Amino acid sequence: MRAAFYISDGTAITSEVFGHALLSLFPIEFEHFTIPFVETEQHALEVIEQIKRAYEKTGERPLVFYTMVNLDIGRIISHSVGINYKFLDQFVAPLEKVIGVPSKPEKHRTHSMHEKTYDIRIEAVNYALANDDGSNLKDYQEADIILVGVSRSGKTPTSLYLALQYGIKAANYPFTEDDMGDILKLPPILRRFKNKLFGLTIGADRLQEIRSERRANSRYASIKQCRMELREVENLYRKEMIPFLNSTSFSVEEISAKILATTGLQRRKY
Amino acid sequence: MRAAFYISDGTAITSEVFGHALLSLFPIEFEHFTIPFVETEQHALEVIEQIKRAYEKTGERPLVFYTMVNLDIGRIISHSVGINYKFLDQFVAPLEKVIGVPSKPEKHRTHSMHEKTYDIRIEAVNYALANDDGSNLKDYQEADIILVGVSRSGKTPTSLYLALQYGIKAANYPFTEDDMGDILKLPPILRRFKNKLFGLTIGADRLQEIRSERRANSRYASIKQCRMELREVENLYRKEMIPFLNSTSFSVEEISAKILATTGLQRRKY
């Protein structure tokens, strides 16, 4: 299996995301190696040795995706036996022409705590944790969005992703049997913040599968119970005109992107 | 302010990360617009109208970073009045030559739940939540790593990031005054899993600042208390040879990347 290296003097997240997207266009597998924080020439020399060993082991030249602010260290990587892509570079000169301003690379410009919005993101994570699973109804005033849905429909991971990636304060509230009675009605606390609600729903079979992993053979995990709860919440969403999304075949990344696109909610971080 | 658009028929995360990294090389600000899930020609036509309006408003041609599996929709975007970068494309042909296999773009290859490791990531998020803040000592057998440190040294956001991004099961355990006594000793439950421990520490001034936001003027937030606790944990890390990191000036992304690089812990997701 051919090796792919993602290298940087920072986190290497940019190299990973770019390299991974590019390689995912090919119907073959690669062995991935991320090497962040290559900040000395000594370290860079060790890295090109590692690339050489991967070449000797596989017989195929490794693919090397890298970003590097320090030019001397970048030059060392560019001499590796791999096929080296300093992939941002070829866009810089044309972009300088378009923008009319010379580039000025500095370390830690992305994915660092020096980004203005860093503290906002951490505050949003703390908010999501404190307001997970309907645990803290008094802070809804502060919420950017309140995710609602039945137990195990994807609310918690989505709240955390919105917080960590976008600095959005997302509370989440589970509809339980206590809320259901004969017909599910919107609890008064949610009605007060109705404009912040976003519903999640999920296919009954998938819900049963997820709940069964938690409590096998329980009423909670029975297909009958799953169907009943989902029917109730979907009716409620329609009746109350709460925007909602079926999460069955979507990742948290996709659910979050769709929520932002649907609601027009402004993220705090780019 | 010049507008920058990130467009895709998927989440547009790749476009965002690439475009953001490139633009961060320039010492000027941009206004950012992400448009995910552009899956119809109609939607693409609306998008190029939006790009046109941004141009008319700012007088500067917007920068457009996009990935698109559907060629017809991609062609529409390529006719926008912006400066259009379908930035993966120019790497595809050379890479096909290197690899000797034609590319085969498919939708939702990245950032989707069809990635093999998706369920592992969600399981890791649930694990991190259940094992946050020393709340569940009986599942440490399952942990990939156990983060330790004083209250508010960055353990919780780091655990969640490791779970969401890498599918790593990270528990976290706070050293409290109960553990400290005269000299901080390693609690027996942690000693059993000593090879999984990773310590966080933080500058006393920064810790005081963070704790003060939580409980102003408390003993908990006093500089004396912060200094004492940090001295104790750092002594413990050294005495017990627990690898550790000072998180003061690092983001969760940086802390997580450093933990992976230091421990050699294998991520479950690329």
Side-chain angles (χ1 to χ4, degrees):
Chain A
M1 200 174 352
R2 192 187 292 263
F5 283 84
Y6 311 101
I7 299 169
S8 174
D9 44 4
T11 59
I13 291 173
T14 303
S15 297
E16 280 181 5
V17 171
F18 177 84
H20 187 210
L22 187 59
L23 298 185
S24 76
L25 300 175
F26 291 86
I28 53 175
E29 303 252 340
F30 299 87
E31 191 173 7
H32 306 276
F33 300 92
T34 297
I35 310 180
F37 304 109
V38 179
E39 298 179 285
T40 63
E41 298 191 5
Q42 179 56 37
H43 194 177
L45 290 168
E46 287 163 24
V47 167
I48 65 171
E49 268 305 304
Q50 190 179 344
I51 295 169
K52 194 169 150 224
R53 284 196 302 275
Y55 179 32
E56 286 163 358
K57 192 179 142 200
T58 64
E60 299 184 304
R61 288 174 70 192
L63 303 173
V64 178
F65 300 96
Y66 70 109
T67 67
M68 197 67 74
V69 171
N70 182 305
L71 294 177
D72 293 327
I73 299 176
R75 208 165 293 124
I76 294 172
I77 303 295
S78 76
H79 290 128
S80 95
V81 297
I83 296 163
N84 305 307
Y85 297 99
K86 199 177 175 194
F87 56 90
L88 289 178
D89 272 23
Q90 58 197 278
F91 295 89
V92 170
L95 207 50
E96 285 180 333
K97 254 193 217 157
V98 167
I99 301 179
V101 171
S103 67
K104 196 180 156 200
E106 276 171 30
K107 273 217 263 191
H108 309 306
R109 196 81 73 91
T110 56
H111 306 118
S112 105
M113 76 175 302
H114 304 295
E115 292 193 295
K116 282 178 297 205
T117 51
Y118 187 71
D119 288 346
I120 292 173
R121 287 169 59 207
I122 296 304
E123 199 187 321
V125 170
N126 291 331
Y127 181 87
L129 285 172
N131 291 277
D132 184 38
D133 215 24
S135 55
N136 192 11
L137 311 180
K138 69 186 197 326
D139 285 346
Y140 283 1
Q141 193 72 46
E142 248 187 90
D144 295 314
I145 188 168
I146 303 168
L147 301 178
V148 295
V150 304
S151 166
R152 299 285 113 180
S153 52
K155 302 181 300 300
T156 295
T158 304
S159 311
L160 292 170
Y161 190 86
L162 287 169
L164 260 173
Q165 292 296 323
Y166 300 133
I168 287 175
K169 287 188 179 174
N172 77 75
Y173 181 97
F175 291 124
T176 61
E177 284 210 88
D178 293 346
D179 295 313
M180 301 234 177
D182 273 350
I183 301 173
L184 175 59
K185 292 207 187 78
L186 202 58
I189 177 73
L190 295 184
R191 188 168 294 284
R192 279 182 55 206
F193 299 101
K194 203 180 138 188
N195 58 338
K196 297 186 181 184
L197 303 184
F198 192 96
L200 292 180
T201 187
I202 185 171
D205 292 345
R206 175 76 181 138
L207 184 62
Q208 182 193 26
E209 191 185 315
I210 299 171
R211 286 185 172 186
S212 293
E213 277 166 32
R214 269 199 139 183
R215 279 189 241 154
N217 305 316
S218 62
R219 194 167 77 93
Y220 167 80
S222 71
I223 188 72
K224 191 177 154 203
Q225 179 71 17
C226 292
R227 281 205 188 111
M228 183 279 283
E229 292 186 23
L230 291 168
R231 192 176 54 232
E232 288 294 316
V233 297
E234 288 174 26
N235 283 341
L236 181 77
Y237 298 155
R238 288 194 192 93
K239 191 176 133 217
E240 299 283 357
M241 314 245 277
I242 296 167
F244 72 100
L245 176 71
N246 186 321
S247 70
T248 311
S249 57
F250 296 126
S251 68
V252 284
E253 284 83 351
E254 291 172 316
I255 296 168
S256 301
K258 279 172 192 281
I259 288 173
L260 294 190
T262 310
T263 61
L265 198 60
Q266 288 305 304
R267 53 212 275 172
R268 306 234 155 67
K269 195 247 169 192
Y270 253 100
Chain B
M1 199 176 351
R2 192 187 291 265
F5 284 84
Y6 311 101
I7 299 168
S8 174
D9 45 3
T11 60
I13 291 174
T14 303
S15 297
E16 281 181 5
V17 171
F18 177 83
H20 188 214
L22 187 60
L23 298 184
S24 76
L25 300 174
F26 290 85
I28 53 175
E29 302 252 342
F30 300 86
E31 191 172 10
H32 307 275
F33 299 93
T34 298
I35 312 181
F37 303 109
V38 180
E39 298 178 286
T40 63
E41 298 191 5
Q42 179 56 38
H43 194 176
L45 290 167
E46 287 164 26
V47 167
I48 66 171
E49 267 306 303
Q50 189 179 342
I51 295 169
K52 195 170 149 220
R53 286 196 301 275
Y55 178 33
E56 286 163 0
K57 192 179 142 200
T58 64
E60 299 183 305
R61 289 175 70 192
L63 305 173
V64 179
F65 300 97
Y66 69 110
T67 66
M68 197 66 74
V69 171
N70 182 305
L71 294 177
D72 294 326
I73 299 177
R75 207 166 293 123
I76 294 172
I77 303 295
S78 76
H79 290 128
S80 95
V81 298
I83 297 162
N84 304 307
Y85 297 99
K86 199 177 177 195
F87 55 90
L88 289 177
D89 272 25
Q90 58 197 279
F91 294 89
V92 170
L95 207 49
E96 285 179 333
K97 253 192 220 157
V98 167
I99 301 181
V101 171
S103 67
K104 196 181 157 200
E106 277 171 30
K107 273 218 263 190
H108 310 306
R109 195 82 73 91
T110 56
H111 306 118
S112 105
M113 76 176 298
H114 304 296
E115 292 192 296
K116 281 178 297 200
T117 51
Y118 185 71
D119 289 345
I120 291 174
R121 286 168 60 208
I122 296 303
E123 198 187 319
V125 170
N126 292 331
Y127 182 86
L129 285 172
N131 290 279
D132 184 36
D133 215 22
S135 55
N136 193 11
L137 312 180
K138 70 187 194 326
D139 286 346
Y140 282 1
Q141 192 73 47
E142 250 187 88
D144 295 314
I145 188 169
I146 303 167
L147 300 179
V148 296
V150 304
S151 168
R152 298 286 113 179
S153 52
K155 301 180 300 301
T156 296
T158 305
S159 312
L160 292 170
Y161 190 86
L162 287 170
L164 261 172
Q165 292 298 323
Y166 301 133
I168 287 175
K169 287 188 178 175
N172 77 75
Y173 181 97
F175 291 124
T176 62
E177 285 209 88
D178 293 345
D179 295 313
M180 302 234 176
D182 274 350
I183 302 172
L184 174 60
K185 293 207 186 80
L186 202 57
I189 177 72
L190 294 185
R191 187 167 295 284
R192 278 183 55 206
F193 299 101
K194 205 180 137 189
N195 59 338
K196 295 186 180 184
L197 302 184
F198 192 96
L200 291 179
T201 187
I202 185 171
D205 293 345
R206 176 74 181 139
L207 184 61
Q208 182 193 24
E209 192 185 313
I210 298 171
R211 287 186 172 185
S212 293
E213 277 166 33
R214 271 200 138 182
R215 279 189 239 155
N217 305 316
S218 62
R219 193 166 78 92
Y220 167 80
S222 70
I223 188 74
K224 190 178 155 203
Q225 180 72 15
C226 291
R227 280 203 190 115
M228 183 278 283
E229 292 186 22
L230 291 168
R231 193 175 53 232
E232 289 293 316
V233 297
E234 288 174 25
N235 283 342
L236 180 77
Y237 297 156
R238 287 194 194 95
K239 191 178 131 213
E240 299 283 356
M241 314 246 277
I242 296 167
F244 72 101
L245 176 72
N246 186 321
S247 70
T248 311
S249 56
F250 297 125
S251 68
V252 284
E253 284 83 351
E254 291 171 318
I255 297 168
S256 301
K258 279 174 192 281
I259 289 174
L260 293 191
T262 310
T263 61
L265 198 59
Q266 289 306 304
R267 54 215 274 172
R268 306 235 154 67
K269 194 244 169 196
Y270 252 99

